[in-house]
Structures are given as structure tokens and as C-alpha cells.
Amino acid sequence: METLELKQKANEIRRLILEMVYQAKSGHLGGSLSAADIFTCLYGQILRIDPQNPKWKFRDRFVLSKGHATPAYYASLAEFGFFPKDELRTFRRLGSRLQGHPDCKHTPGVDMSSGSLGQGISTAVGMAFAAKMQGLPIRVYVMLGDGEMEEGQVWEALMFAGNRKLDNLVIIIDNNDLQCDGHLDEVNSPNPIDEKLQAFHFQVKTVDGHNMKELVEAFGDAKKYSGVPFALIAKTVKGKGVSFMEDQAAWHGKVPDTEQFKQAMRELERAGEALCRK
Ligand SMILES: Cc1ncc(C[n+]2csc(CCOP(=O)(O)OP(=O)(O)O)c2C)c(N)n1
């Protein structure tokens, strides 16, 4: 997929994210909008998957360790064909397959249930280790929040991945510098994340997490290294794409009112029109 097409998809995914949270009157916008470009790149270009056959044995695995970012996750799965986009209207409703946090027993394309921060990375490391033991030629991708890196369990998992040389593991850190209550430094900073990961024997690359070209190249680079797991630190902006939500902790889990929703959609429409003129 061309870079421009990926950018258009990311804009569409942002629109879907907004609609889902507005309709459900619940959900996490900030960390979904920050991750929208990364999701688009993964599902549009990088992951070896078959939406018609979500349980295909040789698919790459993806684990959303920052499990609250389901609006971005489900919007991407629908946009890339795992289930109809109409189903997004059921987000967070009783009986829906699209619960607030991912459920691998019910949702097509979801490889692991998550939501309790720190647990997703642990299972992803287990998946990568198991694949090595079985000689299964797959890669395991896992997305973490930077606030999530304050969980002790994350570092146990990373230590194991480095020590076991899991070069089939790619971790992506959505480095938007915010968590629920404020910037990382104000809460309990895990910085410098790059140096810590290097000390845990990761090959580390830092990119602009909203630059599709940089993302595609970095995921390509990940395949070049053997004997080390790969970490992609994606510098992002929480709430990216909606001016009044950008870099505001308040929009971690807040729902827009009707006026805010309309303004946000207008901004995304304008961004979409600008991409069409390119
Ligand atoms: C173990 C655990 N503790 C607390 C929470 C509640 N919680 C949900 S999201 C969040 C903040 C996460 O920040 P970050 O990982 O940076 O996510 P992002 O900013 O990308 O949305 C917290 C504390 C949780 N889900 N799991």
C-alpha cells in the first residue's frame, strides 16, 4: 500500500474511533488517536495476516498490551476486513463482540485478551518463545503504552525476551508522554526508555509515530536483526488529529459532547480532503 493511501486509511480510522466513543458514550480516545498511524501501518502493510482466516496458523500475532486502546484496534480490524464496519456501532454494548478491552475468545483478529497493563507483553513474549520452540516462522508484535512501562511485570517480560534472544518479537511503544493523570515525569517516569531497553539487549529504533514512511522503514529494519528482539519507540501525540484533544491528559478517557464531536469530525474531514488533493 502506498504511503498516501495509508495516511488516508489512518484518517478514516480516526473518524471511526471518534464515532465509536461518541456513540458508546464511553471509551479511550487519547491513546487510540495517538496509535492510529501505527495500527494503520501494521494492518495495512506489515502484519502477515488473512482477515478471511483469522486463526491461520502461520499468521503474525499482534497483542495490544495497552488494551484500553480498543477503539483504534477495532476500527483497524474492521477497516482491514476482519468484520463489518457496521459492527463498530455495538462497541461497549451488552452482548457485543467489541467489549471495552480486547477479548480473544470472541473477536475475530484478536490474538490475546488484555487490559490489565503489563500482562499483554508477558503473553506476547510467551508466544514468541513458544513459536521458537515449535519452529513456527511467525513474528509477534506487541504495542505498549509508555505509562504502561511503569508496571514491574513489563520489565520481567523484557528481561526474558532479551536473555532468550527472541528475534521474532517486535515491541512498539506508543510514546505519547502522557498517561491518565499527566506527563510521565509528573507521575513515575520510565525514561530513558531507549537506554533501558538497550540494557535489556533490545535493538532499539526511535521514529516519529505519525510519519508513515518512517514507520514502514522501521518495521522493515526490524527484520534485519537476528539474535535480538526489536523495540520501536514511536514518538506520538496523545489525541493526535483533533486540535483540542492533542497532548491533553483529560482526553485519556473522556467522551466529547455533541459540539465537540462535530468539531472533531470537521477537523478530520478537512484533513481527509487535504490528503485527497495530494
Ligand atoms: C494494571 C493496571 N493498572 C491500572 C490500569 C488503569 N489504566 C488504564 S489506562 C492507564 C494509563 C496508561 O497510560 P499509557 O500506557 O501511557 O497509555 P496511553 O497514554 O497510550 O493511552 C491506566 C493507569 C490498568 N488498565 N491496568
Side-chain angles (χ1 to χ4, degrees):
M1 207 176 264
E2 292 294 317
T3 306
L4 179 59
E5 201 184 338
L6 287 172
K7 286 181 182 171
Q8 286 168 333
K9 289 263 182 212
N11 193 60
E12 172 61 11
I13 284 168
R14 285 195 165 87
R15 285 165 40 86
L16 296 172
I17 290 169
L18 251 299
E19 278 173 356
M20 286 164 73
V21 173
Y22 178 68
Q23 279 168 5
K25 296 281 173 266
S26 165
H28 295 83
L29 277 178
S32 290
L33 292 169
S34 66
D37 297 299
I38 305 167
F39 268 108
T40 310
C41 183
L42 283 170
Y43 280 89
Q45 189 78 16
I46 303 299
L47 296 178
R48 199 168 57 140
I49 42 176
D50 178 2
Q52 303 309 314
N53 187 7
K55 295 276 182 207
W56 178 41
K57 183 178 176 186
F58 295 102
R59 71 191 184 282
D60 286 337
R61 299 330 190 241
F62 174 77
V63 177
L64 180 63
S65 200
K66 46 170 267 181
H68 54 284
T70 39
Y73 195 10
Y74 298 153
S76 306
L77 289 171
E79 184 65 34
F80 290 100
F82 282 87
F83 48 80
K85 275 198 205 179
D86 269 358
E87 195 170 338
L88 296 176
R89 290 172 196 276
T90 70
F91 177 53
R92 281 185 174 247
R93 300 250 182 262
L94 213 57
S96 166
R97 297 195 289 186
L98 308 182
Q99 288 303 305
H101 294 79
D103 179 349
C104 64
K105 285 199 174 156
H106 295 107
T107 315
V110 171
D111 288 319
M112 188 61 215
S113 302
S114 57
S116 185
L117 297 171
Q119 292 185 356
I121 175 68
S122 305
T123 49
V125 167
M127 285 176 183
F129 187 50
K132 286 254 174 212
M133 289 176 79
Q134 293 168 357
L136 198 61
I138 61 156
R139 301 177 83 76
V140 180
Y141 294 80
V142 51
M143 189 192 296
L144 297 115
D146 49 10
E148 181 180 6
M149 302 209 79
E150 293 166 22
E151 289 287 346
Q153 184 178 353
V154 169
W155 297 98
E156 285 180 55
L158 298 178
M159 197 187 320
F160 186 83
N163 285 334
R164 296 294 168 141
K165 303 182 175 20
L166 298 182
D167 51 13
N168 55 350
L169 178 76
V170 178
I171 73 165
I172 306 137
I173 294 140
D174 181 2
N175 193 192
N176 58 33
D177 200 34
L178 276 172
Q179 44 196 78
C180 315
D181 304 319
H183 287 99
L184 297 186
D185 287 346
E186 297 164 337
V187 186
N188 186 21
S189 169
N191 290 321
I193 296 172
D194 53 352
E195 288 174 26
K196 287 189 177 134
L197 289 170
Q198 277 156 1
F200 277 59
H201 311 303
F202 275 68
Q203 181 67 40
V204 183
K205 179 146 191 166
T206 303
V207 296
D208 173 351
H210 302 304
N211 183 317
M212 217 45 96
K213 198 162 165 286
E214 280 188 31
L215 284 168
V216 171
E217 279 170 12
F219 282 122
D221 282 354
K223 296 185 179 155
K224 291 184 194 153
Y225 299 100
S226 64
V228 281
F230 190 86
L232 180 67
I233 301 179
K235 294 279 179 194
T236 57
V237 175
K238 201 154 171 166
K240 176 74 178 177
V242 178
S243 59
F244 59 92
M245 293 184 186
E246 288 190 358
D247 199 32
Q248 300 295 322
W251 285 101
H252 173 78
K254 198 167 83 170
V255 178
D257 63 26
T258 304
E259 209 31 64
Q260 289 167 327
F261 172 69
K262 283 184 184 161
Q263 188 188 329
M265 293 302 271
R266 271 197 300 272
E267 287 189 21
L268 292 175
E269 250 157 57
R270 276 201 292 274
E273 285 161 11
L275 285 170
C276 282
R277 286 196 294 274
K278 286 198 173 172

